[in-house]
């Protein structure tokens, strides 16, 4: 092996979208708009749930934490990607790369457990409504949220620690728009078999466990809904669960396609499209999927909008004077 190939890589080049240089401006505008809408939508939802006391219930607490993790994922990926669209070197250091992957993995893993917790919450609300306040107490809700964050942190730490055992030499070009784990394996001078095994074991276990919780919860929910005699009650229950199930299907579908599959030696356009979907599109869609189909959130939003209309603000200002 030559000396050049033996020199260890401490910096990487994120290739990203350089195959389409004529689309740089369009891609920047589209991704920047997605980023702004994602941050406003998710952080706005977090603020709304935090400020409105009637939304301090398990369902909305889970939803607020899910929105927070979607914001974290978007912040981790998008700013660097936007910078690289017009950057000449598109460099990222090894430590920045590890940090980016850590926060990305943390957000995605925490999302998995939060979605499973939300499925269980819906199961209790629909199948055991009389026992809801005892089975889904605030204490249990807090414990489930903390557990999701701990699991997300442990899972990402495991993969980062195993990545640090690898050495990177020769090519330092990552054929992706962020530091994902699979493209890093392809640049390793060391056989990444153990790392791939860890991905299969830990990522597979996380997804199998959370998907099992979701499936069991929704099977029980569907049986309960079909037993309902009231069409109105059946429609309300289906409406409550449909947005959550849609979000779960999109999220888990893209993750399973990307990570739980046979090894490939190249990263194709399909991989980048799938990655765009679960890193950018899903965090964009989630606040709208949940908010626009949730009557309680719409009521709170309407009340806040009406409160801040110009004529209502003038009334609030003038009322102390008239009194």
């Amino acid at each position: 092996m030559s000396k050049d190939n033996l020199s260890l890589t401490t910096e990487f080049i994120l290739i990203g979208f350089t195959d389409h240089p004529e689309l740089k401006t369009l891609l920047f505008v589209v991704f920047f708009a997605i980023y702004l809408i994602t941050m406003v939508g998710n952080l706005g939802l977090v603020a709304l749930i935090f400020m409105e006391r009637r939304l301090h219930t398990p369902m909305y607490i889970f939803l607020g934490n899910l929105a927070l993790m979607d914001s974290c994922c978007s912040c981790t990926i998008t700013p660097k990607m936007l910078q690289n669209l017009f950057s000449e070197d598109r460099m990222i250091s090894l430590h920045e790369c590890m940090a980016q992957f850590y926060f990305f993995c943390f957000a995605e893993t925490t999302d998995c457990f939060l979605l499973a917790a939300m499925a269980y919450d819906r199961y209790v609300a629909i199948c055991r409504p009389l026992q809801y306040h005892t089975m889904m107490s605030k204490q249990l809700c807090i414990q489930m949220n903390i557990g999701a964050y701990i699991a997300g942190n442990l899972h990402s730490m495991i993969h980062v620690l195993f990545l640090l055992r690898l050495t990177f030499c020769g090519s330092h070009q990552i054929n992706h728009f962020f530091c994902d784990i699979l493209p890093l394996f392809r640049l390793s001078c060391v056989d990444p078999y153990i790392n791939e095994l860890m991905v299969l074991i830990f990522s597979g276990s996380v997804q199998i466990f959370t998907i099992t919780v979701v499936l069991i919860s929704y099977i029980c929910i569907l049986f309960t809904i079909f037993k309902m005699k009231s069409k109105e009650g059946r429609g309300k229950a289906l409406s409550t669960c449909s947005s959550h199930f849609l979000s779960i299907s999109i999220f888990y579908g893209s993750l399973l396609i990307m990570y739980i599959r046979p090894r490939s030696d190249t990263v194709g356009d399909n991989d980048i499209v799938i990655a765009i979907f679960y890193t950018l599109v899903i965090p964009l869609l989630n606040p709208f999927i949940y908010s626009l189909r949730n009557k309680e959130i719409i009521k709170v939003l309407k009340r806040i909008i009406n409160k801040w209309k110009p004529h209502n603000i003038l009334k609030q200002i003038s009322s102390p004077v008239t009194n």
Side-chain angles (χ1 to χ4, degrees), residues 135-154:
M135 291 181 69
M136 277 303 298
S137 62
K138 282 191 176 181
Q139 184 180 1
L140 178 61
C141 175
I142 292 168
Q143 289 172 350
M144 290 173 81
N145 277 288
I146 292 172
Y149 283 105
I150 292 172
N153 180 62
L154 289 175

Side-chain angles (χ1 to χ4, degrees), residues 28-49:
F28 181 88
V29 171
V30 170
F31 291 142
F32 184 65
I34 288 174
Y35 178 63
L36 283 181
I37 296 169
T38 299
M39 297 307 293
V40 170
N42 283 291
L43 293 180
L45 189 58
V46 172
L48 189 71
I49 292 169

Side-chain angles (χ1 to χ4, degrees), residues 56-264:
H56 291 180
T57 60
M59 181 176 74
Y60 295 107
I61 292 171
F62 289 132
L63 181 55
N65 282 281
L66 184 70
L68 190 63
M69 286 298 98
D70 284 342
S71 301
C72 176
C73 181
S74 190
C75 283
T76 301
I77 304 296
T78 312
K80 186 66 177 178
M81 182 185 66
L82 292 173
Q83 178 191 339
N84 287 342
L85 281 171
F86 290 100
S87 174
E88 292 185 2
D89 56 21
R90 302 184 302 280
M91 300 294 290
I92 184 169
S93 71
L94 179 62
H95 294 101
E96 287 176 325
C97 195
M98 294 296 111
Q100 188 182 55
F101 173 73
Y102 166 80
F103 285 109
F104 161 72
C105 185
F106 168 70
E108 295 296 297
T109 306
T110 306
D111 270 358
C112 287
F113 284 98
L114 288 172
L115 288 168
M118 291 170 74
Y120 175 74
D121 175 71
R122 292 299 83 206
Y123 156 74
V124 177
I126 293 170
C127 302
R128 305 284 186 86
L130 298 177
Q131 298 172 295
Y132 182 79
H133 293 292
T134 54
M135 291 181 69
M136 277 303 298
S137 62
K138 282 191 176 181
Q139 184 180 1
L140 178 61
C141 175
I142 292 168
Q143 289 172 350
M144 290 173 81
N145 277 288
I146 292 172
Y149 283 105
I150 292 172
N153 180 62
L154 289 175
H155 186 230
S156 55
M157 282 297 296
I158 287 168
H159 290 305
V160 168
L161 289 172
F162 273 95
L163 278 173
L164 292 175
R165 70 174 280 275
L166 302 179
T167 53
F168 304 96
C169 55
S171 174
H172 58 289
Q173 295 183 343
I174 299 177
N175 190 16
H176 216 312
F177 60 90
F178 73 100
C179 283
D180 202 359
I181 194 168
L182 299 183
L184 286 172
F185 289 169
R186 298 179 182 101
L187 301 182
S188 174
C189 307
V190 180
D191 185 1
Y193 172 75
I194 295 175
N195 297 69
E196 290 173 343
L197 189 63
M198 291 301 102
V199 170
L200 187 63
I201 292 171
F202 287 101
S203 298
S205 298
V206 167
Q207 294 196 38
I208 289 169
F209 172 75
T210 53
I211 288 173
T212 301
V213 172
V214 169
L215 287 176
I216 292 173
S217 298
Y218 273 97
I219 288 168
C220 295
I221 286 169
L222 287 173
F223 274 116
T224 303
I225 289 173
F226 289 139
K227 288 179 183 177
M228 290 180 180
K229 296 179 180 179
S230 168
K231 286 185 178 180
E232 186 179 345
R234 195 181 301 169
K236 186 178 179 182
L238 284 171
S239 177
T240 303
C241 297
S242 59
S243 56
H244 181 235
F245 193 74
L246 175 63
S247 178
I248 284 174
S249 302
I250 297 170
F251 179 76
Y252 280 113
S254 56
L255 284 184
L256 286 169
I257 292 169
M258 191 69 184
Y259 294 104
I260 310 301
R261 61 176 183 176
R263 179 182 175 181
S264 173

